[in-house]
Amino acid sequence: MVNFIWLALIVLGVIVAGTSGKIEIVTLAALEGANNAVKTSLNLIAIITFWLGIMKLAEAAGLVQCLARLTRPLLRFLFPEIPQNHPALGAIVMNLCANILGLGNAATPMGLIAMQEMQKLNRGNFKTATSAMCTFLALNTSCITLIPTIIIGIRLMHNSADPTAIVGPTIFATACGMIVAITVDRFLYFFHRNR
Amino acid sequence: MLYAIITEISRWIIPLAILFILFAAVIKKVKVFEVFIEGAQEGFTTAIKTIPYLVAMLMAINIFRATGAMELLVHNLSSFFDYFCFPVELLPHAIMRPLSGGAALGVATNIIATHGPDSYLGRLVSTMQGSTDTTFYVLTLYFGSVGITRYRYAVISGLAADFTTLAASVFIVNKVFGAGS
């Protein structure tokens, strides 16, 4: 699926550029995209290093395992493959909480830690995603948002009479998305397992 | 009121969480400085490992966008979306959102600036921007950090959620603020 989408994006781009006589745009755009990607990764170094340090402390203090135990009833349904009290569950919960509160800077490192912990449990091919990872990413990308910080800032900048008017609708829309994400994920999970 | 409480919580939660973790570690007699360094050790490699994955994805998306292929897609899809009462002006945003966070935010800002933040389009685009994530970026980054290239069904559930959120945004904005207001 990703192979196809990736290929389609590039091939369509080249064809359109070629037929409109602006073929040189392709190389420029590719380099610009690559440049942005490297910058994004480099910017991640600082926050990831910081949060990995803090998370190691939380783990050593037994807090991550404690969080995993507290949320176990809910998570057992979504992540049956992850053993009880595994640090992966703690990191997943922290990532989702940070997402809900709109704390993007903290959410990403927690999410990457959760991925690392889940990769340690990967008994299949190390290049193939596990079911737990798919479920986690479905939750992560569709997660309920209580405060869409950036867009409220932009509304404020353009003199909105009520910048936060969209908070209620946003919560509703994300809740719908999350319900569908969980349903689709559970469906595909059982479908793939029984094949 | 509720919003003010939530904002206040999100301002305080990180500093308090850090403090709480440090206290808990001290009580458990953890050597705080040493353990922090031990954990932070992997920060650099984790971040660097994502470079090839992000380069591949952002490069392809940027080609698609800059060459005008995206505009062409929007143009071809507009009659289809029109059928579902979805405003054509917001189509570039809807298509851009799962691919590129920055580009989508640019489109949203532009619409808010031209139509006003309290117009129907302004409110709808604000809801759309706030409620969905940059699915492809998140998938690439998260899978990339552990070296996974086969995503299995993660793309399908992610896009299904994005589509639902889009439909739900249109529905709720019409319901709360009234269509075309």
Side-chain angles (χ1 to χ4, degrees):
Chain A
M1 180 106 181
V2 186
N3 282 314
F4 174 75
I5 293 174
W6 193 73
L7 195 71
L9 288 173
I10 297 177
V11 171
L12 287 176
V14 174
I15 292 173
V16 172
T19 49
S20 57
K22 304 180 293 185
I23 194 71
E24 68 283 352
I25 286 184
V26 176
T27 349
L28 282 175
L31 282 176
E32 194 195 42
N35 209 349
N36 285 340
V38 174
K39 273 187 200 147
T40 310
S41 292
L42 291 183
N43 281 334
L44 281 173
I45 296 177
I47 43 167
I48 290 180
T49 305
F50 170 71
W51 280 107
L52 277 172
I54 294 287
M55 282 293 282
K56 193 80 186 178
L57 283 174
E59 222 183 295
L63 291 172
V64 182
Q65 297 86 326
C66 181
L67 197 62
R69 199 158 37 228
L70 284 175
T71 48
R72 195 175 130 67
L74 187 73
L75 293 178
R76 193 171 43 183
F77 165 69
L78 292 169
F79 300 99
E81 280 96 356
I82 301 180
Q84 204 175 339
N85 303 341
H86 193 272
L89 293 176
I92 288 171
V93 173
M94 285 184 168
N95 168 270
L96 294 180
C97 289
N99 261 324
I100 290 171
L101 290 171
L103 305 167
N105 269 349
T108 308
M110 311 270 191
L112 297 187
I113 293 166
M115 291 302 281
Q116 280 178 351
E117 293 295 335
M118 283 187 274
Q119 182 71 327
K120 285 180 198 161
L121 296 169
N122 192 350
R123 294 282 163 268
N125 187 323
F126 283 117
K127 283 185 183 299
T128 307
T130 64
S131 305
M133 290 175 182
C134 291
T135 308
F136 172 57
L137 284 171
L139 283 177
N140 180 298
T141 54
S142 69
C143 195
I144 290 185
T145 313
L146 293 184
I147 331 173
T149 341
I150 297 169
I151 198 70
I152 290 174
I154 289 169
R155 291 171 61 77
L156 201 66
M157 220 167 65
H158 289 279
N159 306 316
S160 169
D162 188 2
T164 57
I166 49 105
V167 170
T170 305
I171 295 175
F172 172 82
T174 47
C176 291
M178 197 165 192
I179 292 167
V180 168
I182 293 173
T183 316
V184 171
D185 173 77
R186 284 298 86 185
F187 176 77
L188 291 170
Y189 169 75
F190 287 111
F191 178 74
H192 276 253
R193 206 178 52 167
N194 294 337
R195 224 172 25 174
Chain B
M1 184 56 203
L2 184 68
Y3 173 76
I5 296 171
I6 298 171
T7 332
E8 210 53 23
I9 292 174
S10 76
R11 269 184 59 210
W12 279 84
I13 193 151
I14 295 284
L16 288 183
I18 293 172
L19 200 64
F20 180 69
I21 290 169
L22 285 174
F23 267 134
V26 169
I27 289 168
K28 283 268 172 90
K29 295 193 170 55
V30 174
K31 293 194 175 71
V32 279
F33 185 72
E34 285 168 34
V35 172
F36 181 92
I37 304 279
E38 194 192 314
Q41 213 63 255
E42 287 162 49
F44 185 76
T45 35
T46 310
I48 294 299
K49 223 158 70 184
T50 63
I51 288 182
Y53 299 87
L54 279 183
V55 166
M57 194 50 89
L58 296 193
M59 178 201 92
I61 291 169
N62 214 33
I63 289 177
F64 187 68
R65 198 171 55 97
T67 54
M70 192 199 77
E71 249 170 81
L72 211 64
L73 181 70
V74 169
H75 189 75
N76 284 318
L77 284 175
S78 60
S79 58
F80 174 75
F81 273 78
D82 205 30
Y83 182 76
F84 291 102
C85 303
F86 182 81
V88 180
E89 297 94 320
L90 301 190
L91 202 52
H93 184 273
I95 292 178
M96 224 49 238
R97 191 69 186 92
L99 296 173
S100 162
L105 189 64
V107 175
T109 312
N110 197 14
I111 283 167
I112 289 174
T114 24
H115 297 271
D118 300 316
S119 64
Y120 172 66
L121 289 180
R123 281 167 173 159
L124 182 53
V125 85
S126 303
T127 310
M128 282 160 58
Q129 175 72 32
S131 57
T132 41
D133 215 328
T134 320
T135 305
F136 278 91
Y137 166 76
V138 173
L139 289 181
T140 315
L141 180 70
Y142 281 35
F143 279 138
S145 72
V146 287
I148 279 171
T149 46
R150 265 167 250 137
Y151 297 0
R152 286 175 69 210
Y153 52 85
V155 181
I156 300 174
S157 36
L159 288 181
D162 285 342
F163 195 75
T164 311
T165 329
L166 178 65
S169 299
V170 177
F171 170 79
I172 195 73
V173 169
N174 280 323
K175 204 88 185 154
V176 172
F177 302 111
S181 62

